[in-house]
Amino acid sequence: MVTRTEIDTGIAKEIQQHLEFGATTRFLHWVRAFMIVFLVASGFYIAYPFLQPDASGEPVIFLQAYNRAFHCMAGFVLIAASIFRVYLFFFAPSSRPERLSFWQLLNPLVWIKTIGAYLFIAKHPHIKGAYNPLQFTTYFVLGLVTLVICLTGANLYANVYHDGLGGVIGICFGWVDSVCGGLANVRAIHHIATWVFIVFVPVHIYLVIWNSVRYPNGGADAMVSGIRYSEERRI
């Protein structure tokens, strides 16, 4: 949809709107974002419970147990949201711009120009789809890290809760323990994957703002409105 037309030195500029992210995709993005923040905070508290409730003879002070329970619930929300997000990527019509981004990976010239743009020595290339090659590769790797943290988290859950859902998860994902070489390694890998998120989040926020300032086409708010703007010139 054309939103604005300008006349500048005989060249007509048309600013067009494009739906880049569907409503469900945007919703799942923020669900996963909030769950990751909560999981990191609660996970570090589980590893180092620095809060001490007042002493009481009554068996009602379950601060660590409550924290662990909410951590597990948030983990299952992250797993569900991530599975649905992968489904949307492959099958949702609104995710077509994201799927188109894959073909940028096969173009070396787009890679070179994109890296040059981040180094301030080249203009950002015109890309087809929602992501440039660096963004697509980063999000793909982050998806793999999410898979690792979900598998190790599920395995840790099954080793604490042996009945009901825990029993089912233990049957389905008991192999994670063997592949990692023991439960201690599962926990270590889970912790390392957490640090990947800790490093990624501030870098991601910085680059989103950086792109929005340098290329004001709706980048920062695209995950809120879903809209990206592009400029077409006509003589």
Side-chain angles (χ1 to χ4, degrees):
M1 179 178 68
V2 178
T3 59
R4 180 167 58 92
T5 301
E6 295 180 354
I7 303 297
D8 180 18
T9 64
I11 300 177
K13 296 180 180 179
E14 292 185 348
I15 308 300
Q16 297 187 347
Q17 292 181 353
H18 305 277
L19 180 63
E20 190 164 76
F21 301 106
T24 308
T25 297
R26 302 195 305 271
F27 173 74
L28 291 176
H29 171 273
W30 292 110
V31 167
R32 291 183 299 151
F34 287 123
M35 290 304 102
I36 287 171
V37 172
F38 178 79
L39 285 165
V40 169
S42 58
F44 272 101
Y45 180 78
I46 291 173
Y48 182 74
F50 53 87
L51 296 178
Q52 178 62 47
D54 293 334
S56 173
E58 298 295 327
V60 294
I61 304 176
F62 303 116
L63 182 60
Q64 177 75 334
Y66 285 136
N67 185 77
R68 185 183 184 89
F70 283 115
H71 182 84
C72 292
M73 285 187 282
F76 285 119
V77 172
L78 178 64
I79 292 172
S82 298
I83 292 174
F84 195 21
R85 182 66 179 87
V86 172
Y87 169 81
L88 291 177
F89 176 83
F90 285 105
F91 300 107
S94 60
S95 295
R96 184 173 180 272
E98 295 181 275
R99 293 191 292 270
L100 286 175
S101 303
F102 171 78
W103 302 108
Q104 309 294 321
L105 299 175
L106 309 179
N107 191 330
L109 185 60
V110 175
W111 272 98
I112 294 172
K113 289 184 176 180
T114 300
I115 295 174
Y118 281 103
L119 295 176
F120 297 95
I121 59 176
K123 292 183 178 180
H124 197 286
H126 176 74
I127 60 174
K128 296 180 181 179
Y131 310 122
N132 64 46
L134 283 176
Q135 290 173 320
F136 190 93
T137 302
T138 300
Y139 296 146
F140 176 75
V141 172
L142 189 69
L144 295 180
V145 175
T146 302
L147 176 63
V148 170
I149 205 167
C150 288
L151 287 175
T152 53
N155 186 261
L156 291 171
Y157 177 89
N159 276 276
V160 176
Y161 305 99
H162 305 288
D163 297 325
L165 180 61
V168 174
I169 292 176
I171 294 173
C172 296
F173 300 106
W175 54 269
V176 175
D177 196 328
S178 301
V179 170
C180 294
L183 194 60
N185 289 340
V186 173
R187 182 184 179 279
I189 294 171
H190 192 74
H191 187 81
I192 293 171
T194 300
W195 275 101
V196 175
F197 282 106
I198 294 173
V199 174
F200 168 79
V201 169
V203 174
H204 174 64
I205 295 173
Y206 167 78
L207 288 177
V208 167
I209 297 174
W210 180 86
N211 272 282
S212 299
V213 172
R214 192 174 185 199
Y215 309 105
N217 58 357
D221 60 340
M223 198 51 75
V224 178
S225 65
I227 300 297
R228 181 81 69 177
Y229 301 94
S230 64
E231 180 181 287
E232 293 186 2
R233 295 190 178 190
R234 295 180 181 178
I235 299 176

